[in-house]
Amino acid sequence: MSRLGRKPVALPEKVNVSVDGQTVNVEGPLGKLSYTADPDITIELAEDGKEVTVSRKNDSRSAKAMHGLTRALISNMIVGVDQGYEKRLEVVGVGYLAAIAGDVLQLRVGFANEVHKKIPTDLDVKCPDQTHIVVKGIDKQRVGQFAAEVRAVRKPEPYKGKGVRYQGERVKLKPGKAAGK
């Protein structure tokens, strides 16, 4: 019984949703997104056009699993085209820095060479200064995935805390070997 799946998704005034069979198209001030649902899921737009409801056709295990997921994905699409998503990263370490050259994010994070990450066209990546990276976009999954890939270039290490981390992320530092004496 998916409690979240049964809850209707309210639509903001600036967002238009169209349902064509299993395909949901969401259009808002920031852009357009589309999602094709599982065949066991039914998506309906209310007559007044103010909310979207998601239901399942049967009680199979896969239908139950997809029920809440589909509702959450539609909700994320609506928030994305209305407000957008943002992830902030910080680069911590002496000599560690980030810069943008064209459509490439350049990271100097303690390796012999710079690491170059190609920026996807649907994301807006900025470096307000050399130690901060801001990833913005309308697709929550794409924003989170790119931020995770940038963080994975050099995860924060546990002894000095150097590396790329999410803003506000707390890194628990281990004591060094001299602390054991």
Side-chain angles (χ1 to χ4, degrees), residues 8-74:
V9 182
L11 297 178
E13 291 180 20
K14 299 175 269 182
V15 176
N16 296 322
V17 174
S18 62
V19 179
D20 182 29
Q22 296 302 106
T23 305
V24 180
N25 296 310
V26 181
E27 190 173 344
L30 298 180
K32 293 186 205 176
L33 289 173
S34 180
Y35 173 71
T36 303
D38 194 74
D40 291 337
I41 301 298
T42 305
I43 302 163
E44 296 167 348
L45 187 61
E47 280 102 41
D48 60 354
K50 300 272 188 202
E51 62 185 24
V52 177
T53 55
V54 178
S55 59
R56 57 181 184 250
K57 294 178 182 170
N58 57 43
D59 283 340
S60 69
R61 187 178 177 99
S62 64
K64 286 180 178 180
M66 295 302 291
H67 189 195
L69 173 71
T70 303
R71 190 255 181 216
L73 290 174
I74 293 170

Side-chain angles (χ1 to χ4, degrees), residues 7 10 21 70 78 92 102 115 136 157 161:
K7 188 176 176 186
T70 303
I78 291 168
V92 178
V115 178
K136 291 182 182 180
E157 55 94 21

Side-chain angles (χ1 to χ4, degrees), residues 86-92 131-133 151 156 163-172:
E86 175 181 279
K87 289 274 187 184
R88 293 177 172 271
L89 299 156
E90 43 190 24
V91 182
V92 178
T131 59
H132 290 87
I133 304 165
R151 183 182 182 274
V164 181
R165 63 175 82 164
Y166 295 112
Q167 191 166 348
E169 178 182 359
R170 296 187 55 125
V171 177
K172 188 171 185 218

